Amino acid sequence: MSSSSSSSSSSSSSSSSSSLPPQTLKVGIVGFGTFGQFLAKTMIKQGHTTRATSRTDYSQLCHQLDVPFFRDVIPFLEADNDVILICTSILSLSEVLNSMPLRRLKRHTLFVDVLSVKEHPRNVLLQVLPENMDVLCTHPMFGPESGKNGWKDLPLVYEKVRVRDETRCSSFLHIFESEGCRMVEMSCEEHDKVAARSQFLSHSIGRILAEMGIESTSMNTKSFETLVKLKESTTNDSFDLFSGLFIHNRFAQQELMNLEQSFEKVKQRLLKKMSEQQSLSSV
Ligand code: NAP
């Protein structure tokens, strides 16, 4: 598959589809942890070819999945990949990419990341990749738990950061479209702004509830059940993921301060009301 020279950055376009039918892709996955494996299963089901490399040796698991596993990154890069899919942790992205001898890439390749923050991978990919590599930044807004019964109506946020081969990019996005995902084209900056106020906030509250040790009771209200579920779902993700949401999203720190200030405001209102009630009852 050769790169077309017809278009450059297309982050403002509203459609992810190309006029050509989707292609079967050879996808090399970097980082075969929980999320990399989760995505691989759907790609395999759809008939795409996958291969993987990771810090940990996943040879046995990959053997069961019929996915070639490369302990050595050089043959991985020299393999015939249409797409290299980055599924490493947010915190390790720079280290992983900087340790890869990217000059060994034999052909123009589409690099896609799935990190839960977006400006950081966009910046790192643009910095380390040769100019002739295409870049698509994505964030599937679901995981192995929320997506275990299918991906229908679950959002896939993406920005075509540097896409010249539209057909290959559309074929990749089609993996999500064909599972029924809601395709949301959005700049990396906008994603991070919105995610700091939604995803990071919910993870922070889930972690706070875990610190408090909340557990299901015999008299749960629906709202309390929601809190228990939130605690469970956020603590199922690694602490690396949670801290990555904070460290590599420039909007997250402000949201943490907002949370702290709002907590203090609510507390002060309660204390004020209590003191008013106490003075009334002492009259
Ligand atoms: P994670 O803890 O964020 O990342 C685990 C992956 O990072 C593993 O493949 C691990 O490799 C690799 N890794 C960690 N530290 C490393 C290091 N120092 N050097 C090299 N590799 C390192 O957990 P995850 O849930 O699998 O998430 C992977 C990515 O997907 C993250 O960027 C996350 O933001 C994104 N994502 C996750 C979800 C989700 O629901 N889990 C949803 C959307 C997006 P080894 O396994 O080889 O140790």
mmCIF file of all heavy atoms in Angstrom, residues 1-4 25-30 51 76-86 100 102-112 125 129-136 162-165 168-169 172:
data_model
loop_
_atom_site.group_PDB
_atom_site.id
_atom_site.type_symbol
_atom_site.label_atom_id
_atom_site.label_comp_id
_atom_site.label_asym_id
_atom_site.label_seq_id
_atom_site.Cartn_x
_atom_site.Cartn_y
_atom_site.Cartn_z
ATOM 1 N N MET A 1 0.846 -1.172 0.000
ATOM 2 C CA MET A 1 0.000 0.000 0.000
ATOM 3 C C MET A 1 0.895 1.240 0.000
ATOM 4 O O MET A 1 1.759 1.377 0.821
ATOM 5 C CB MET A 1 -0.831 -0.020 1.273
ATOM 6 C CG MET A 1 -2.085 0.731 1.164
ATOM 7 S SD MET A 1 -2.841 0.872 2.780
ATOM 8 C CE MET A 1 -2.515 -0.719 3.491
ATOM 9 N N SER A 2 0.685 2.123 -0.937
ATOM 10 C CA SER A 2 1.553 3.295 -0.958
ATOM 11 C C SER A 2 0.807 4.518 -0.444
ATOM 12 O O SER A 2 -0.404 4.600 -0.508
ATOM 13 C CB SER A 2 2.036 3.555 -2.379
ATOM 14 O OG SER A 2 0.926 3.871 -3.159
ATOM 15 N N SER A 3 1.573 5.496 0.068
ATOM 16 C CA SER A 3 0.941 6.701 0.592
ATOM 17 C C SER A 3 0.493 7.601 -0.539
ATOM 18 O O SER A 3 1.242 7.842 -1.465
ATOM 19 C CB SER A 3 1.941 7.481 1.437
ATOM 20 O OG SER A 3 2.135 6.817 2.636
ATOM 21 N N SER A 4 -0.725 8.109 -0.436
ATOM 22 C CA SER A 4 -1.152 9.069 -1.433
ATOM 23 C C SER A 4 -0.644 10.444 -1.018
ATOM 24 O O SER A 4 -0.405 10.706 0.143
ATOM 25 C CB SER A 4 -2.682 9.058 -1.531
ATOM 26 O OG SER A 4 -3.209 10.133 -0.858
ATOM 27 N N LEU A 25 -5.794 -4.880 7.320
ATOM 28 C CA LEU A 25 -4.536 -4.240 7.728
ATOM 29 C C LEU A 25 -3.606 -5.191 8.467
ATOM 30 O O LEU A 25 -4.052 -6.115 9.148
ATOM 31 C CB LEU A 25 -4.853 -3.053 8.649
ATOM 32 C CG LEU A 25 -5.665 -1.912 8.040
ATOM 33 C CD1 LEU A 25 -6.147 -0.950 9.130
ATOM 34 C CD2 LEU A 25 -4.836 -1.157 6.991
ATOM 35 N N LYS A 26 -2.307 -4.890 8.358
ATOM 36 C CA LYS A 26 -1.309 -5.574 9.180
ATOM 37 C C LYS A 26 -0.951 -4.589 10.298
ATOM 38 O O LYS A 26 -0.399 -3.518 10.022
ATOM 39 C CB LYS A 26 -0.072 -5.929 8.349
ATOM 40 C CG LYS A 26 -0.397 -6.945 7.259
ATOM 41 C CD LYS A 26 0.834 -7.426 6.547
ATOM 42 C CE LYS A 26 1.202 -6.604 5.332
ATOM 43 N NZ LYS A 26 0.356 -6.561 4.189
ATOM 44 N N VAL A 27 -1.332 -4.940 11.516
ATOM 45 C CA VAL A 27 -1.197 -4.001 12.635
ATOM 46 C C VAL A 27 -0.157 -4.515 13.638
ATOM 47 O O VAL A 27 -0.299 -5.608 14.191
ATOM 48 C CB VAL A 27 -2.555 -3.805 13.353
ATOM 49 C CG1 VAL A 27 -2.428 -2.772 14.470
ATOM 50 C CG2 VAL A 27 -3.642 -3.387 12.366
ATOM 51 N N GLY A 28 0.877 -3.730 13.844
ATOM 52 C CA GLY A 28 1.898 -4.064 14.841
ATOM 53 C C GLY A 28 1.570 -3.335 16.132
ATOM 54 O O GLY A 28 1.467 -2.111 16.148
ATOM 55 N N ILE A 29 1.401 -4.084 17.215
ATOM 56 C CA ILE A 29 0.996 -3.471 18.490
ATOM 57 C C ILE A 29 2.213 -3.320 19.410
ATOM 58 O O ILE A 29 2.933 -4.281 19.661
ATOM 59 C CB ILE A 29 -0.080 -4.339 19.185
ATOM 60 C CG1 ILE A 29 -1.299 -4.468 18.276
ATOM 61 C CG2 ILE A 29 -0.472 -3.753 20.539
ATOM 62 C CD1 ILE A 29 -2.353 -5.438 18.759
ATOM 63 N N VAL A 30 2.415 -2.110 19.884
ATOM 64 C CA VAL A 30 3.504 -1.837 20.837
ATOM 65 C C VAL A 30 2.867 -1.668 22.214
ATOM 66 O O VAL A 30 2.106 -0.723 22.426
ATOM 67 C CB VAL A 30 4.278 -0.550 20.456
ATOM 68 C CG1 VAL A 30 5.389 -0.279 21.466
ATOM 69 C CG2 VAL A 30 4.845 -0.661 19.054
ATOM 70 N N ARG A 51 0.515 -8.376 15.119
ATOM 71 C CA ARG A 51 1.748 -8.880 15.726
ATOM 72 C C ARG A 51 2.043 -7.914 16.870
ATOM 73 O O ARG A 51 1.527 -6.784 16.867
ATOM 74 C CB ARG A 51 2.902 -8.989 14.723
ATOM 75 C CG ARG A 51 3.381 -7.745 13.996
ATOM 76 C CD ARG A 51 2.456 -7.252 12.897
ATOM 77 N NE ARG A 51 2.201 -8.146 11.799
ATOM 78 C CZ ARG A 51 2.794 -8.036 10.615
ATOM 79 N NH1 ARG A 51 3.675 -7.070 10.388
ATOM 80 N NH2 ARG A 51 2.491 -8.875 9.650
ATOM 81 N N PHE A 76 10.503 -6.475 14.624
ATOM 82 C CA PHE A 76 9.120 -5.971 14.697
ATOM 83 C C PHE A 76 8.966 -4.772 13.762
ATOM 84 O O PHE A 76 8.024 -4.693 12.972
ATOM 85 C CB PHE A 76 8.780 -5.585 16.138
ATOM 86 C CG PHE A 76 7.458 -4.880 16.299
ATOM 87 C CD1 PHE A 76 6.270 -5.601 16.388
ATOM 88 C CD2 PHE A 76 7.381 -3.489 16.341
ATOM 89 C CE1 PHE A 76 5.042 -4.950 16.519
ATOM 90 C CE2 PHE A 76 6.161 -2.833 16.478
ATOM 91 C CZ PHE A 76 4.991 -3.563 16.573
ATOM 92 N N LEU A 77 9.930 -3.842 13.836
ATOM 93 C CA LEU A 77 9.851 -2.645 12.983
ATOM 94 C C LEU A 77 10.056 -3.001 11.515
ATOM 95 O O LEU A 77 9.522 -2.344 10.623
ATOM 96 C CB LEU A 77 10.900 -1.613 13.410
ATOM 97 C CG LEU A 77 10.640 -0.881 14.726
ATOM 98 C CD1 LEU A 77 11.792 0.050 15.064
ATOM 99 C CD2 LEU A 77 9.336 -0.084 14.668
ATOM 100 N N GLU A 78 10.854 -4.035 11.281
ATOM 101 C CA GLU A 78 11.137 -4.418 9.891
ATOM 102 C C GLU A 78 10.032 -5.293 9.290
ATOM 103 O O GLU A 78 10.027 -5.552 8.097
ATOM 104 C CB GLU A 78 12.502 -5.124 9.822
ATOM 105 C CG GLU A 78 13.637 -4.123 10.049
ATOM 106 C CD GLU A 78 15.019 -4.753 10.020
ATOM 107 O OE1 GLU A 78 15.112 -6.003 10.029
ATOM 108 O OE2 GLU A 78 16.002 -3.995 9.981
ATOM 109 N N ALA A 79 9.126 -5.737 10.155
ATOM 110 C CA ALA A 79 7.986 -6.522 9.639
ATOM 111 C C ALA A 79 7.116 -5.574 8.811
ATOM 112 O O ALA A 79 7.189 -4.364 8.963
ATOM 113 C CB ALA A 79 7.201 -7.114 10.797
ATOM 114 N N ASP A 80 6.300 -6.174 7.971
ATOM 115 C CA ASP A 80 5.551 -5.380 7.013
ATOM 116 C C ASP A 80 4.284 -4.801 7.668
ATOM 117 O O ASP A 80 3.192 -5.294 7.437
ATOM 118 C CB ASP A 80 5.208 -6.340 5.857
ATOM 119 C CG ASP A 80 4.544 -5.633 4.725
ATOM 120 O OD1 ASP A 80 4.747 -4.420 4.563
ATOM 121 O OD2 ASP A 80 3.790 -6.325 3.991
ATOM 122 N N ASN A 81 4.429 -3.733 8.481
ATOM 123 C CA ASN A 81 3.265 -3.177 9.195
ATOM 124 C C ASN A 81 2.613 -2.039 8.405
ATOM 125 O O ASN A 81 3.298 -1.111 7.995
ATOM 126 C CB ASN A 81 3.709 -2.594 10.546
ATOM 127 C CG ASN A 81 4.277 -3.642 11.481
ATOM 128 O OD1 ASN A 81 3.627 -4.622 11.785
ATOM 129 N ND2 ASN A 81 5.508 -3.441 11.932
ATOM 130 N N ASP A 82 1.295 -2.113 8.226
ATOM 131 C CA ASP A 82 0.570 -0.950 7.678
ATOM 132 C C ASP A 82 0.412 0.095 8.776
ATOM 133 O O ASP A 82 0.484 1.293 8.532
ATOM 134 C CB ASP A 82 -0.850 -1.348 7.227
ATOM 135 C CG ASP A 82 -0.837 -2.363 6.112
ATOM 136 O OD1 ASP A 82 -0.099 -2.149 5.146
ATOM 137 O OD2 ASP A 82 -1.566 -3.376 6.227
ATOM 138 N N VAL A 83 0.148 -0.430 9.980
ATOM 139 C CA VAL A 83 -0.145 0.442 11.124
ATOM 140 C C VAL A 83 0.710 -0.005 12.305
ATOM 141 O O VAL A 83 0.853 -1.201 12.544
ATOM 142 C CB VAL A 83 -1.646 0.316 11.522
ATOM 143 C CG1 VAL A 83 -1.958 1.140 12.767
ATOM 144 C CG2 VAL A 83 -2.556 0.719 10.373
ATOM 145 N N ILE A 84 1.271 0.958 13.029
ATOM 146 C CA ILE A 84 1.886 0.637 14.321
ATOM 147 C C ILE A 84 1.019 1.286 15.387
ATOM 148 O O ILE A 84 0.807 2.504 15.381
ATOM 149 C CB ILE A 84 3.359 1.094 14.388
ATOM 150 C CG1 ILE A 84 4.160 0.200 13.433
ATOM 151 C CG2 ILE A 84 3.892 1.005 15.829
ATOM 152 C CD1 ILE A 84 5.653 0.273 13.548
ATOM 153 N N LEU A 85 0.461 0.433 16.246
ATOM 154 C CA LEU A 85 -0.526 0.874 17.229
ATOM 155 C C LEU A 85 0.135 0.936 18.604
ATOM 156 O O LEU A 85 0.559 -0.077 19.151
ATOM 157 C CB LEU A 85 -1.692 -0.132 17.229
ATOM 158 C CG LEU A 85 -2.860 0.150 18.152
ATOM 159 C CD1 LEU A 85 -3.546 1.467 17.792
ATOM 160 C CD2 LEU A 85 -3.876 -0.993 18.071
ATOM 161 N N ILE A 86 0.226 2.156 19.137
ATOM 162 C CA ILE A 86 0.923 2.356 20.408
ATOM 163 C C ILE A 86 -0.073 2.216 21.564
ATOM 164 O O ILE A 86 -0.969 3.039 21.721
ATOM 165 C CB ILE A 86 1.562 3.774 20.474
ATOM 166 C CG1 ILE A 86 2.338 4.099 19.192
ATOM 167 C CG2 ILE A 86 2.418 3.936 21.719
ATOM 168 C CD1 ILE A 86 3.624 3.364 19.022
ATOM 169 N N MET A 100 13.133 3.020 20.414
ATOM 170 C CA MET A 100 12.903 2.262 19.169
ATOM 171 C C MET A 100 13.758 2.835 18.037
ATOM 172 O O MET A 100 13.719 4.036 17.793
ATOM 173 C CB MET A 100 11.420 2.335 18.763
ATOM 174 C CG MET A 100 10.502 1.600 19.707
ATOM 175 S SD MET A 100 8.783 1.886 19.294
ATOM 176 C CE MET A 100 8.492 0.521 18.229
ATOM 177 N N LEU A 102 13.750 3.873 15.008
ATOM 178 C CA LEU A 102 12.695 4.117 14.015
ATOM 179 C C LEU A 102 13.217 4.209 12.579
ATOM 180 O O LEU A 102 12.463 4.062 11.618
ATOM 181 C CB LEU A 102 11.904 5.378 14.396
ATOM 182 C CG LEU A 102 11.127 5.230 15.711
ATOM 183 C CD1 LEU A 102 10.685 6.575 16.264
ATOM 184 C CD2 LEU A 102 9.924 4.315 15.543
ATOM 185 N N ARG A 103 14.538 4.424 12.437
ATOM 186 C CA ARG A 103 15.095 4.475 11.075
ATOM 187 C C ARG A 103 15.039 3.088 10.411
ATOM 188 O O ARG A 103 15.200 2.973 9.200
ATOM 189 C CB ARG A 103 16.527 5.004 11.111
ATOM 190 C CG ARG A 103 17.469 4.099 11.839
ATOM 191 C CD ARG A 103 18.862 4.675 12.035
ATOM 192 N NE ARG A 103 19.706 3.716 12.730
ATOM 193 C CZ ARG A 103 19.600 3.452 14.032
ATOM 194 N NH1 ARG A 103 18.720 4.065 14.760
ATOM 195 N NH2 ARG A 103 20.377 2.542 14.595
ATOM 196 N N ARG A 104 14.776 2.025 11.226
ATOM 197 C CA ARG A 104 14.691 0.678 10.650
ATOM 198 C C ARG A 104 13.344 0.442 9.954
ATOM 199 O O ARG A 104 13.147 -0.593 9.331
ATOM 200 C CB ARG A 104 14.865 -0.399 11.735
ATOM 201 C CG ARG A 104 16.142 -0.296 12.516
ATOM 202 C CD ARG A 104 17.357 -0.535 11.638
ATOM 203 N NE ARG A 104 17.601 -1.933 11.379
ATOM 204 C CZ ARG A 104 18.573 -2.650 11.950
ATOM 205 N NH1 ARG A 104 19.367 -2.074 12.829
ATOM 206 N NH2 ARG A 104 18.768 -3.898 11.623
ATOM 207 N N LEU A 105 12.438 1.395 10.074
ATOM 208 C CA LEU A 105 11.145 1.227 9.397
ATOM 209 C C LEU A 105 11.388 1.167 7.893
ATOM 210 O O LEU A 105 12.049 2.033 7.330
ATOM 211 C CB LEU A 105 10.218 2.400 9.732
ATOM 212 C CG LEU A 105 9.598 2.369 11.123
ATOM 213 C CD1 LEU A 105 9.039 3.739 11.490
ATOM 214 C CD2 LEU A 105 8.497 1.326 11.172
ATOM 215 N N LYS A 106 10.810 0.164 7.264
ATOM 216 C CA LYS A 106 11.097 -0.072 5.850
ATOM 217 C C LYS A 106 10.136 0.662 4.925
ATOM 218 O O LYS A 106 10.340 0.725 3.734
ATOM 219 C CB LYS A 106 11.008 -1.575 5.582
ATOM 220 C CG LYS A 106 12.136 -2.351 6.242
ATOM 221 C CD LYS A 106 12.740 -3.306 5.232
ATOM 222 C CE LYS A 106 14.180 -3.614 5.432
ATOM 223 N NZ LYS A 106 14.643 -4.382 6.451
ATOM 224 N N ARG A 107 9.024 1.136 5.480
ATOM 225 C CA ARG A 107 7.997 1.719 4.610
ATOM 226 C C ARG A 107 7.222 2.796 5.354
ATOM 227 O O ARG A 107 7.289 2.888 6.572
ATOM 228 C CB ARG A 107 7.031 0.620 4.159
ATOM 229 C CG ARG A 107 6.539 -0.214 5.329
ATOM 230 C CD ARG A 107 5.552 -1.227 4.922
ATOM 231 N NE ARG A 107 4.308 -0.579 4.565
ATOM 232 C CZ ARG A 107 3.141 -1.208 4.437
ATOM 233 N NH1 ARG A 107 3.086 -2.504 4.623
ATOM 234 N NH2 ARG A 107 2.063 -0.564 4.119
ATOM 235 N N HIS A 108 6.493 3.586 4.588
ATOM 236 C CA HIS A 108 5.626 4.586 5.212
ATOM 237 C C HIS A 108 4.581 3.844 6.038
ATOM 238 O O HIS A 108 3.929 2.936 5.525
ATOM 239 C CB HIS A 108 4.925 5.427 4.151
ATOM 240 C CG HIS A 108 5.877 6.202 3.298
ATOM 241 N ND1 HIS A 108 5.474 6.910 2.194
ATOM 242 C CD2 HIS A 108 7.209 6.378 3.387
ATOM 243 C CE1 HIS A 108 6.526 7.484 1.641
ATOM 244 N NE2 HIS A 108 7.593 7.167 2.357
ATOM 245 N N THR A 109 4.421 4.268 7.263
ATOM 246 C CA THR A 109 3.535 3.538 8.185
ATOM 247 C C THR A 109 2.611 4.547 8.852
ATOM 248 O O THR A 109 2.977 5.707 9.022
ATOM 249 C CB THR A 109 4.411 2.836 9.261
ATOM 250 O OG1 THR A 109 5.421 2.079 8.606
ATOM 251 C CG2 THR A 109 3.594 1.925 10.157
ATOM 252 N N LEU A 110 1.418 4.086 9.212
ATOM 253 C CA LEU A 110 0.517 4.932 9.998
ATOM 254 C C LEU A 110 0.742 4.619 11.474
ATOM 255 O O LEU A 110 0.556 3.473 11.899
ATOM 256 C CB LEU A 110 -0.946 4.647 9.619
ATOM 257 C CG LEU A 110 -2.023 5.289 10.507
ATOM 258 C CD1 LEU A 110 -1.988 6.813 10.422
ATOM 259 C CD2 LEU A 110 -3.412 4.763 10.128
ATOM 260 N N PHE A 111 1.161 5.622 12.237
ATOM 261 C CA PHE A 111 1.291 5.454 13.687
ATOM 262 C C PHE A 111 0.002 5.918 14.337
ATOM 263 O O PHE A 111 -0.463 7.033 14.080
ATOM 264 C CB PHE A 111 2.478 6.267 14.238
ATOM 265 C CG PHE A 111 3.784 5.533 14.107
ATOM 266 C CD1 PHE A 111 4.400 5.392 12.876
ATOM 267 C CD2 PHE A 111 4.389 4.960 15.222
ATOM 268 C CE1 PHE A 111 5.591 4.693 12.743
ATOM 269 C CE2 PHE A 111 5.578 4.254 15.103
ATOM 270 C CZ PHE A 111 6.183 4.119 13.868
ATOM 271 N N VAL A 112 -0.561 5.040 15.185
ATOM 272 C CA VAL A 112 -1.794 5.372 15.904
ATOM 273 C C VAL A 112 -1.525 5.171 17.388
ATOM 274 O O VAL A 112 -0.906 4.181 17.767
ATOM 275 C CB VAL A 112 -2.957 4.425 15.496
ATOM 276 C CG1 VAL A 112 -4.243 4.824 16.211
ATOM 277 C CG2 VAL A 112 -3.165 4.419 13.985
ATOM 278 N N LEU A 125 4.889 12.009 19.235
ATOM 279 C CA LEU A 125 4.941 11.336 17.917
ATOM 280 C C LEU A 125 5.482 12.284 16.852
ATOM 281 O O LEU A 125 6.319 11.898 16.034
ATOM 282 C CB LEU A 125 3.550 10.809 17.530
ATOM 283 C CG LEU A 125 3.097 9.559 18.307
ATOM 284 C CD1 LEU A 125 1.613 9.293 18.106
ATOM 285 C CD2 LEU A 125 3.906 8.327 17.899
ATOM 286 N N LEU A 129 8.998 10.876 15.210
ATOM 287 C CA LEU A 129 8.809 10.115 13.961
ATOM 288 C C LEU A 129 9.402 10.837 12.764
ATOM 289 O O LEU A 129 9.332 12.065 12.676
ATOM 290 C CB LEU A 129 7.316 9.896 13.695
ATOM 291 C CG LEU A 129 6.588 8.940 14.623
ATOM 292 C CD1 LEU A 129 5.113 8.895 14.252
ATOM 293 C CD2 LEU A 129 7.196 7.546 14.539
ATOM 294 N N PRO A 130 9.945 10.066 11.819
ATOM 295 C CA PRO A 130 10.336 10.684 10.550
ATOM 296 C C PRO A 130 9.123 11.343 9.900
ATOM 297 O O PRO A 130 7.985 10.897 10.077
ATOM 298 C CB PRO A 130 10.807 9.488 9.713
ATOM 299 C CG PRO A 130 11.101 8.405 10.683
ATOM 300 C CD PRO A 130 10.207 8.626 11.860
ATOM 301 N N GLU A 131 9.349 12.412 9.170
ATOM 302 C CA GLU A 131 8.264 13.224 8.605
ATOM 303 C C GLU A 131 7.342 12.417 7.675
ATOM 304 O O GLU A 131 6.163 12.731 7.532
ATOM 305 C CB GLU A 131 8.880 14.422 7.870
ATOM 306 C CG GLU A 131 8.021 15.675 7.876
ATOM 307 C CD GLU A 131 6.906 15.620 6.839
ATOM 308 O OE1 GLU A 131 7.131 15.043 5.740
ATOM 309 O OE2 GLU A 131 5.811 16.143 7.133
ATOM 310 N N ASN A 132 7.868 11.354 7.087
ATOM 311 C CA ASN A 132 7.032 10.614 6.124
ATOM 312 C C ASN A 132 6.089 9.596 6.779
ATOM 313 O O ASN A 132 5.389 8.850 6.096
ATOM 314 C CB ASN A 132 7.904 9.917 5.063
ATOM 315 C CG ASN A 132 8.910 8.974 5.687
ATOM 316 O OD1 ASN A 132 8.987 8.845 6.900
ATOM 317 N ND2 ASN A 132 9.687 8.302 4.844
ATOM 318 N N MET A 133 6.065 9.564 8.120
ATOM 319 C CA MET A 133 5.132 8.653 8.805
ATOM 320 C C MET A 133 3.832 9.400 9.113
ATOM 321 O O MET A 133 3.871 10.543 9.584
ATOM 322 C CB MET A 133 5.741 8.156 10.134
ATOM 323 C CG MET A 133 7.049 7.418 9.956
ATOM 324 S SD MET A 133 6.805 5.901 9.024
ATOM 325 C CE MET A 133 8.458 5.658 8.380
ATOM 326 N N ASP A 134 2.693 8.740 8.883
ATOM 327 C CA ASP A 134 1.400 9.351 9.204
ATOM 328 C C ASP A 134 1.092 9.183 10.700
ATOM 329 O O ASP A 134 1.561 8.218 11.321
ATOM 330 C CB ASP A 134 0.283 8.702 8.369
ATOM 331 C CG ASP A 134 0.261 9.240 6.936
ATOM 332 O OD1 ASP A 134 1.142 10.058 6.598
ATOM 333 O OD2 ASP A 134 -0.642 8.849 6.174
ATOM 334 N N VAL A 135 0.294 10.111 11.221
ATOM 335 C CA VAL A 135 -0.027 10.090 12.663
ATOM 336 C C VAL A 135 -1.535 10.274 12.870
ATOM 337 O O VAL A 135 -2.120 11.257 12.414
ATOM 338 C CB VAL A 135 0.722 11.224 13.409
ATOM 339 C CG1 VAL A 135 0.355 11.217 14.899
ATOM 340 C CG2 VAL A 135 2.239 11.098 13.243
ATOM 341 N N LEU A 136 -2.120 9.312 13.577
ATOM 342 C CA LEU A 136 -3.533 9.405 13.964
ATOM 343 C C LEU A 136 -3.600 9.225 15.478
ATOM 344 O O LEU A 136 -3.126 8.217 16.002
ATOM 345 C CB LEU A 136 -4.333 8.277 13.275
ATOM 346 C CG LEU A 136 -5.780 8.072 13.707
ATOM 347 C CD1 LEU A 136 -6.661 9.237 13.255
ATOM 348 C CD2 LEU A 136 -6.331 6.752 13.128
ATOM 349 N N ARG A 162 -1.579 13.909 11.119
ATOM 350 C CA ARG A 162 -0.792 14.033 9.876
ATOM 351 C C ARG A 162 -1.113 12.810 9.019
ATOM 352 O O ARG A 162 -0.475 11.771 9.146
ATOM 353 C CB ARG A 162 0.701 14.092 10.197
ATOM 354 C CG ARG A 162 1.559 14.359 8.966
ATOM 355 C CD ARG A 162 2.993 14.681 9.343
ATOM 356 N NE ARG A 162 3.712 13.540 9.879
ATOM 357 C CZ ARG A 162 4.797 13.634 10.650
ATOM 358 N NH1 ARG A 162 5.278 14.816 10.999
ATOM 359 N NH2 ARG A 162 5.410 12.544 11.085
ATOM 360 N N VAL A 163 -2.144 12.972 8.194
ATOM 361 C CA VAL A 163 -2.609 11.821 7.415
ATOM 362 C C VAL A 163 -2.539 12.140 5.934
ATOM 363 O O VAL A 163 -3.202 13.059 5.465
ATOM 364 C CB VAL A 163 -4.051 11.435 7.829
ATOM 365 C CG1 VAL A 163 -4.618 10.387 6.896
ATOM 366 C CG2 VAL A 163 -4.068 10.921 9.257
ATOM 367 N N ARG A 164 -1.707 11.400 5.220
ATOM 368 C CA ARG A 164 -1.658 11.555 3.761
ATOM 369 C C ARG A 164 -2.335 10.376 3.077
ATOM 370 O O ARG A 164 -2.965 10.519 2.058
ATOM 371 C CB ARG A 164 -0.205 11.716 3.291
ATOM 372 C CG ARG A 164 0.307 13.125 3.604
ATOM 373 C CD ARG A 164 1.769 13.185 3.811
ATOM 374 N NE ARG A 164 2.164 12.505 5.019
ATOM 375 C CZ ARG A 164 3.283 12.759 5.696
ATOM 376 N NH1 ARG A 164 4.118 13.677 5.267
ATOM 377 N NH2 ARG A 164 3.566 12.102 6.779
ATOM 378 N N ASP A 165 -2.201 9.190 3.682
ATOM 379 C CA ASP A 165 -2.866 8.016 3.108
ATOM 380 C C ASP A 165 -4.241 7.869 3.763
ATOM 381 O O ASP A 165 -4.401 7.208 4.791
ATOM 382 C CB ASP A 165 -1.999 6.777 3.355
ATOM 383 C CG ASP A 165 -2.540 5.560 2.619
ATOM 384 O OD1 ASP A 165 -3.751 5.538 2.318
ATOM 385 O OD2 ASP A 165 -1.758 4.640 2.351
ATOM 386 N N ARG A 168 -5.809 4.193 4.079
ATOM 387 C CA ARG A 168 -5.288 3.371 5.185
ATOM 388 C C ARG A 168 -5.862 3.874 6.522
ATOM 389 O O ARG A 168 -6.262 3.082 7.375
ATOM 390 C CB ARG A 168 -3.756 3.458 5.178
ATOM 391 C CG ARG A 168 -3.089 2.673 6.278
ATOM 392 C CD ARG A 168 -1.585 2.740 6.150
ATOM 393 N NE ARG A 168 -1.112 4.130 6.113
ATOM 394 C CZ ARG A 168 0.138 4.485 5.863
ATOM 395 N NH1 ARG A 168 1.049 3.562 5.612
ATOM 396 N NH2 ARG A 168 0.497 5.749 5.865
ATOM 397 N N CYS A 169 -5.913 5.203 6.681
ATOM 398 C CA CYS A 169 -6.443 5.772 7.926
ATOM 399 C C CYS A 169 -7.926 5.392 8.098
ATOM 400 O O CYS A 169 -8.355 4.979 9.171
ATOM 401 C CB CYS A 169 -6.265 7.292 7.889
ATOM 402 S SG CYS A 169 -6.877 8.101 9.358
ATOM 403 N N PHE A 172 -8.363 1.903 9.167
ATOM 404 C CA PHE A 172 -8.123 1.714 10.599
ATOM 405 C C PHE A 172 -9.353 2.168 11.403
ATOM 406 O O PHE A 172 -9.841 1.463 12.287
ATOM 407 C CB PHE A 172 -6.863 2.458 11.074
ATOM 408 C CG PHE A 172 -6.631 2.239 12.537
ATOM 409 C CD1 PHE A 172 -6.024 1.075 12.985
ATOM 410 C CD2 PHE A 172 -7.118 3.141 13.471
ATOM 411 C CE1 PHE A 172 -5.884 0.823 14.353
ATOM 412 C CE2 PHE A 172 -6.978 2.897 14.840
ATOM 413 C CZ PHE A 172 -6.353 1.742 15.271
#
